[in-house]
Amino acid sequence: MGWRPVKLSKEEKKMDMNLSKYLLRTEEEVDFLPIIPLNESDQDDLNIEIPEEIPLLPLRNTVLFPGVVLPITVGRDKSIKAVNEAYKGDKLVGVVAQKDSNVEDPAVKDLEDIGTVARIVKLIKMPDGGTTIIIQGKSRFVTEAITIEEPYFRAKIRKLEEEESPRDADFDAYVANIKDLAADIVQLSPNIPTEASIILRNIENPSFLIHFVSSNLNTDIKDKQRLLELNQIRQRADLLMQLLQKELQFAELKNKVTNKTRTELDKQQKEYFLQQQLKSIREELGGDSNSQEIKEMQKRAEAKKWPVAAKEMFRKGIEKLERMHPSTPDFSVVYNHLDLMLDLPWESYTEDHYDLKKAKKTLDADHYGMQKIKERIVEYLAVLKLKGDMKSPILCFVGPPGIGKTSLGRSIANAIGRKYIRLSLGGLHDESEIRGHRKTYIGAMPGRILQSLRKVQSSNPVILLDEIDKIGNDFRGDPSSALLEVLDPEQNHTFYDNYLESEYDLSKVLFIATANNFSNIQPALRDRMEVIDLSGYAVEEKIEIAKRHLLPKQKDVHGLKDSNIKMSDRVLEKIIQDYTRESGVRELDRQLAAILRNQAKQMALHGKAKTNLTVEDIENILGKPRYSNEIYKTANMAGVAVGLAWTSMGGDILFIETSLSDGKGELRLTGNLGNVMKESASTALTYLQSNAKKYKLDTKLFEKKNIHIHVPEGAVPKDGPSAGVTMMTAIASALTGRKVKPFLAMTGEITLRGQVLPVGGIKEKVLAAKRAGLKEIILCAQNEKDVEEIHSEFIKGIKFHYVKTMSQVLDFALV
């Protein structure tokens, strides 16, 4: 037949595969391998007799052309049955392409009408159970009708006669051009051996050349089908040339991109070798490219005071840096790490001021009151002065907002002569902010503590950890756990930062934390800190703070520093009581700012401002009073009692309202109350039921009346045991019809035995009662010590009743 035998040698298989992939064909795009004929001119076998009806073999990803030999792996059941049936008979099968190669099980509508009759040259059963056939295209045909669809396709076909190749110069030019284009593509494709172009040039039959090149063309299957369907060989050659031109342009573009990339790589390699040569030359001359920077680092290191471990780490880092070229990525990582080590103040400390009187004077000048904190700082300085060295305490200031916790940290630093650092922890969620990132990460940096020490150049500053109770805790990390090491005096002398990769001594740092709600801090962290409670300010304290600090500050801010604007104590008291309701002084500061803005406007418009402001002026500027104590007079009715509460914002007062209605003795609680508060109401009711005769209460009332207890401001959650005595008094008032004494407040926990237990937050609660204009307060006898700690001037005009039992409470409260 003049064709290469089906059983190929290794060399022939390799050449066949490479040629099958010319025109940029990828292995994934086909599952066949074209076989090269040794004598394509001997094509007598192509003119065989073709029956009118033959089995059909659909191909998913290729088109078979006459004369071309292909090995095909058959996988579909229908196809295997069709091949086996054909192989038993005349070994002829109709090969047609699928319109859509993604269809797994094609129907009649999915098959092309024109295909190629092929002879099965060889059928091979594979070890894995598959079937591989080698087929040779014989002649084109058109499907006239599908006669059978199961178990395989069988069709009635009509043979399409092939046109004789034209014998004119024009067609010869077409053939020569096709050979040249194919040879150019082979030349541009590195995966195709150069022998392939020689084989192509030796194909003499024009028709076979067109069919063979078309079969190997790396183009869409629809284009190949168009080539097969064209009856005139000249038209087929013309379309093939267009497709080859397109593939040649693509091959040239790919080759250009590849060469450009290779050129860039060659350029980088050239630069690298030149850099290595330059490095060798400089070493011969007595220095290299980065020797100057390394020498400067070593010079700084000689003058540095640091621990032995840090010194050894620096030495190893320098040795590593000397072996690296500045262009390598790790050079900057190592360089930045060593630069941090040099910048950190390892054993550099500022000298503390041991003048205790001067320190106390500085604290008094910056803040009014706060005697507990001032005494604690003076004690710390006293011990430091006597001993010469001690671990710094870990202090935590807990109190309502606006009382000066944050500014007190700077004042303490000034008093003892240390550098000051403020770290805001509110909303912090990444523990790397504390411990740092590992230096191998891109953009890695040390933690905020080491960054701050690097900035202030001192290892014993005052570090204020602001809002420590508002640290975040989610899937990204738990910074409060990272702070356990920082705030433990027994551990922080060996604090480990991930970026530094070495221990750093934080034991000389004076850490001060601030918080509004101590319960939000995790227990292990609370245990490491010395807590100092800061209460809210009394009216008298606020007046002094306004005169000493707030008013001068606002005058300076509003350009009225040189003016003689003054406010009397009466005017300031009016602003505090009628326009603010807070434990701190932030709202007072804002009201003073509003007043001075008005005075600045007067100064700008009229050239002068009023110097002595009166109560009437305040009302004209700020408007009508926002808060009033009249509510405590009008609210005096049976079943209503006034309680005292503690919040993170300071002390506050709340009403307990009780109402009776016909029913079955049910207790109803409203006002957004917590479980502890609900239990206090149940305890109070049970106590009154069990002691009804003692208080001359009708026992039938508990069976016929429903009791409804409501605490106003229902949108605000409320909880805690301190409202127990207030609830009991309100229920007793409603049941007896006796009113609660006016301007009376109370707080305390109750028991079923009739005892009154102590509660916390007494100073805040008492100051809240004073702000509200209340005159008398009922407290547990054990809370008397807490009242004694409050300055007598701040609670002037308030009468305290100390009780031990609930009977005493009712005797004092009901009129």
Side-chain angles (χ1 to χ4, degrees):
M1 289 174 59
W3 292 87
R4 179 181 301 179
V6 169
K7 190 172 182 181
L8 306 177
S9 67
K10 290 184 180 179
E11 293 77 9
E12 290 169 332
K13 286 181 179 178
K14 182 176 180 181
M15 184 171 68
D16 288 343
M17 185 174 293
N18 285 331
L19 186 60
S20 73
K21 294 196 291 186
Y22 100 95
L23 309 185
L24 309 179
R25 183 187 302 279
T26 60
E27 199 170 359
E28 291 77 17
E29 291 173 327
V30 295
D31 59 0
F32 63 92
L33 183 66
I35 296 177
I36 305 167
L38 296 176
N39 186 8
E40 82 288 346
S41 62
D42 185 9
Q43 296 194 21
D44 296 335
D45 194 60
L46 297 181
N47 299 318
I48 61 172
E49 185 177 347
I50 296 174
E52 292 184 356
E53 187 174 321
I54 60 172
L56 292 185
L57 176 62
L59 293 185
R60 255 202 300 209
N61 52 5
T62 192
V63 175
L64 177 66
F65 289 83
V68 177
V69 179
L70 296 178
I72 296 175
T73 300
V74 183
R76 292 187 287 217
D77 291 337
K78 272 189 176 183
S79 301
I80 292 173
K81 289 175 182 177
V83 167
N84 289 334
E85 186 67 22
Y87 198 72
K88 289 176 185 177
D90 56 10
K91 299 184 179 180
L92 294 180
V93 65
V95 178
V96 291
Q98 286 184 204
K99 294 178 180 177
D100 185 359
S101 61
N102 294 320
V103 177
E104 185 64 35
D105 188 12
V108 176
K109 61 182 177 61
D110 297 318
L111 304 179
E112 297 286 356
D113 294 328
I114 295 177
T116 304
V117 175
R119 178 184 291 278
I120 302 174
V121 180
K122 187 74 174 176
L123 188 146
I124 305 168
K125 298 287 186 181
M126 306 303 291
D128 59 355
T131 300
T132 298
I133 59 173
I134 298 174
I135 58 176
Q136 180 188 13
K138 296 298 182 181
S139 177
R140 297 183 305 127
F141 73 88
V142 61
T143 304
E144 292 187 340
I146 300 293
T147 58
I148 297 176
E149 292 187 24
E150 293 293 339
Y152 56 85
F153 291 114
R154 194 172 182 87
K156 185 178 180 182
I157 65 170
R158 177 170 53 84
K159 178 181 176 182
L160 296 175
E161 297 296 333
E162 289 291 334
E163 182 187 62
E164 286 290 330
S165 300
R167 299 292 181 182
D168 55 61
D170 186 45
F171 186 76
D172 291 341
Y174 270 103
V175 173
N177 202 4
I178 289 172
K179 288 185 177 182
D180 291 339
L181 288 171
D184 290 343
I185 294 173
V186 171
Q187 194 71 27
L188 291 171
S189 303
N191 295 328
I192 303 177
T194 54
E195 293 83 0
S197 60
I198 299 172
I199 294 170
L200 284 169
R201 288 193 176 278
N202 287 322
I203 296 176
E204 296 175 358
N205 188 311
S207 179
F208 180 78
L209 175 69
I210 293 170
H211 291 162
F212 188 80
V213 174
S214 299
S215 181
N216 288 279
L217 190 65
N218 184 24
T219 187
D220 190 77
I221 192 169
K222 292 181 180 179
D223 293 329
K224 290 187 178 183
Q225 185 66 28
R226 282 171 57 203
L227 285 166
L228 182 68
E229 290 175 359
L230 291 171
N231 291 321
Q232 294 185 7
I233 194 167
R234 193 184 297 273
Q235 292 179 349
R236 210 177 300 163
D238 184 69
L239 178 58
L240 179 59
M241 275 182 53
Q242 294 176 27
L243 295 174
L244 283 172
Q245 287 282 4
K246 182 180 175 182
E247 289 302 314
L248 179 60
Q249 290 175 8
F250 187 77
E252 287 174 344
L253 180 62
K254 182 181 177 183
N255 195 52
K256 181 180 177 183
V257 173
T258 305
N259 289 337
K260 183 179 178 182
T261 307
R262 187 182 295 114
T263 302
E264 290 176 355
L265 289 172
D266 292 341
K267 184 180 178 183
Q268 289 179 2
Q269 290 175 349
K270 179 181 177 183
E271 288 177 354
Y272 175 77
F273 290 129
L274 288 175
Q275 290 284 3
Q276 292 297 318
Q277 290 176 351
L278 185 62
K279 182 179 178 181
S280 301
I281 292 169
R282 286 181 174 172
E283 286 176 351
E284 290 295 326
L285 294 173
D288 58 14
S289 59
N290 59 327
S291 61
Q292 191 63 32
E293 291 180 344
I294 294 174
K295 283 182 179 179
E296 289 178 5
M297 279 188 159
Q298 290 172 330
K299 190 175 180 181
R300 288 171 61 191
E302 290 173 3
K304 197 82 178 170
K305 289 168 51 181
W306 47 15
V308 177
K311 192 172 184 179
E312 180 63 19
M313 178 183 278
F314 181 84
R315 184 187 64 77
K316 289 180 180 179
I318 282 290
E319 290 177 357
K320 186 177 181 181
L321 199 66
E322 286 175 332
R323 294 192 300 269
M324 299 171 72
H325 192 271
S327 62
T328 58
D330 285 343
F331 181 86
S332 61
V333 175
V334 177
Y335 182 88
N336 291 336
H337 182 250
L338 296 177
D339 191 46
L340 171 69
M341 293 187 71
L342 288 171
D343 286 345
L344 283 175
W346 288 90
E347 292 180 358
S348 176
Y349 306 105
T350 55
E351 188 176 346
D352 291 333
H353 298 165
Y354 296 127
D355 190 339
L356 303 186
K357 292 181 179 178
K358 186 178 179 181
K360 194 171 187 309
K361 188 177 179 181
T362 303
L363 292 171
D364 287 336
D366 292 341
H367 289 79
Y368 182 80
M370 299 187 177
Q371 296 305 319
K372 272 188 182 179
I373 293 178
K374 292 176 182 177
E375 288 174 9
R376 181 66 184 87
I377 298 302
V378 173
E379 288 171 358
Y380 166 67
L381 284 175
V383 176
L384 202 60
K385 182 178 181 180
L386 295 175
K387 189 174 182 289
D389 181 34
M390 70 171 291
K391 291 180 179 177
S392 295
I394 313 293
L395 304 177
C396 182
F397 301 159
V398 180
I403 61 172
K405 299 185 298 295
T406 304
S407 60
L408 189 61
R410 183 181 292 277
S411 180
I412 292 171
N414 293 336
I416 60 180
R418 290 192 182 185
K419 300 289 183 67
Y420 172 73
I421 297 169
R422 176 181 169 272
L423 297 180
S424 180
L425 301 181
L428 194 72
H429 57 75
D430 189 354
E431 66 174 307
S432 298
E433 295 283 339
I434 306 296
R435 294 180 191 249
H437 306 79
R438 299 196 180 279
K439 68 174 185 285
T440 52
Y441 294 130
I442 295 173
M445 60 180 66
R448 289 170 65 177
I449 291 176
L450 286 194
Q451 287 185 52
S452 301
L453 295 178
R454 181 185 195 177
K455 185 178 180 180
V456 299
Q457 286 297 300
S458 172
S459 286
N460 65 335
V462 174
I463 296 184
L464 183 80
L465 304 174
D466 208 10
E467 310 292 359
I468 198 171
D469 57 328
K470 298 176 182 64
I471 293 180
N473 181 4
D474 56 21
F475 67 94
R476 289 170 289 190
D478 182 11
S480 60
S481 297
L483 283 173
L484 294 176
E485 181 185 7
V486 176
L487 299 182
D488 191 340
E490 300 301 321
Q491 297 181 38
N492 63 10
H493 65 283
T494 56
F495 171 68
Y496 186 87
D497 186 276
N498 291 327
Y499 185 87
L500 182 62
E501 294 183 344
S502 177
E503 295 175 348
Y504 195 91
D505 186 5
L506 298 178
S507 62
K508 303 294 191 298
V509 176
L510 175 55
F511 286 102
I512 299 175
T514 70
N516 298 129
N517 192 345
F518 197 54
S519 60
N520 288 345
I521 306 172
Q522 66 158 291
L525 197 56
R526 288 203 300 261
D527 186 56
R528 283 163 166 75
M529 298 186 290
E530 180 182 339
V531 180
I532 299 178
D533 288 309
L534 297 178
S535 305
Y537 294 118
V539 174
E540 291 78 5
E541 288 179 301
K542 290 183 179 181
I543 291 172
E544 288 299 320
I545 292 170
K547 288 196 296 186
R548 296 185 185 189
H549 303 286
L550 302 183
L551 198 54
K553 183 188 80 172
Q554 291 298 342
K555 286 170 69 174
D556 187 33
V557 168
H558 291 88
L560 300 171
K561 188 175 182 180
D562 298 329
S563 66
N564 295 321
I565 296 175
K566 295 178 182 178
M567 294 185 195
S568 64
D569 290 0
R570 181 168 169 268
V571 170
L572 290 171
E573 186 176 351
K574 167 78 174 176
I575 298 170
I576 293 165
Q577 292 190 331
D578 289 357
Y579 296 95
T580 67
R581 273 288 187 275
E582 59 176 346
S583 296
V585 291
R586 284 199 180 125
E587 185 62 28
L588 174 59
D589 193 34
R590 284 190 283 270
Q591 298 301 331
L592 292 175
I595 293 168
L596 289 179
R597 280 197 303 272
N598 181 272
Q599 294 303 299
K601 183 182 73 173
Q602 298 298 327
M603 183 73 76
L605 289 175
H606 308 294
K608 62 178 181 178
K610 197 169 183 179
T611 53
N612 291 313
L613 295 173
T614 63
V615 172
E616 291 75 16
D617 295 327
I618 299 303
E619 288 199 7
N620 290 333
I621 297 170
L622 300 179
K624 294 296 181 183
R626 297 182 185 177
Y627 306 100
S628 173
N629 295 330
E630 295 297 318
I631 187 173
Y632 308 111
K633 299 177 184 176
T634 58
N636 188 24
M637 56 184 290
V640 179
V642 179
L644 298 175
W646 181 91
T647 70
S648 60
M649 305 294 288
D652 201 357
I653 61 117
L654 51 85
F655 288 100
I656 307 291
E657 300 176 349
T658 306
S659 177
L660 303 180
S661 60
D662 294 334
K664 298 180 181 179
E666 296 176 354
L667 175 63
R668 188 178 181 190
L669 303 168
T670 57
N672 203 352
L673 309 184
N675 290 331
V676 178
M677 209 165 180
K678 291 177 181 177
E679 291 168 0
S680 296
S682 300
T683 304
L685 181 60
T686 303
Y687 172 77
L688 290 173
Q689 282 178 321
S690 60
N691 294 276
K693 292 182 180 179
K694 179 179 179 180
Y695 298 114
K696 298 178 182 179
L697 298 173
D698 185 359
T699 54
K700 294 181 180 180
L701 285 175
F702 296 103
E703 299 174 0
K704 297 180 179 180
K705 296 288 185 181
N706 287 341
I707 300 175
H708 184 169
I709 299 176
H710 176 67
V711 183
E713 297 187 44
V716 181
K718 310 168 191 73
D719 203 4
S722 61
V725 293
T726 317
M727 287 186 165
M728 189 269 293
T729 304
I731 296 171
S733 173
L735 291 171
T736 60
R738 296 166 62 188
K739 295 181 180 180
V740 178
K741 189 181 293 185
F743 295 96
L744 172 70
M746 60 194 77
T747 183
E749 184 178 355
I750 58 174
T751 69
L752 286 174
R753 294 174 295 165
Q755 293 181 319
V756 178
L757 302 181
V759 292
I762 293 300
K763 183 179 179 182
E764 286 83 357
K765 293 177 179 178
V766 170
L767 294 178
K770 178 74 183 297
R771 286 197 299 270
L774 299 175
K775 308 295 183 186
E776 296 179 85
I777 299 177
I778 296 176
L779 296 172
C780 174
Q782 295 180 48
N783 284 127
E784 186 174 359
K785 64 181 185 301
D786 299 309
V787 176
E788 290 174 353
E789 292 182 2
I790 307 173
H791 198 286
S792 58
E793 287 294 321
F794 303 159
I795 54 177
K796 191 176 181 181
I798 296 180
K799 186 177 180 181
F800 293 92
H801 302 284
Y802 299 106
V803 297
K804 294 181 179 179
T805 64
M806 289 153 73
S807 299
Q808 293 175 301
V809 173
L810 295 179
D811 290 342
F812 281 124
L814 300 181
V815 295

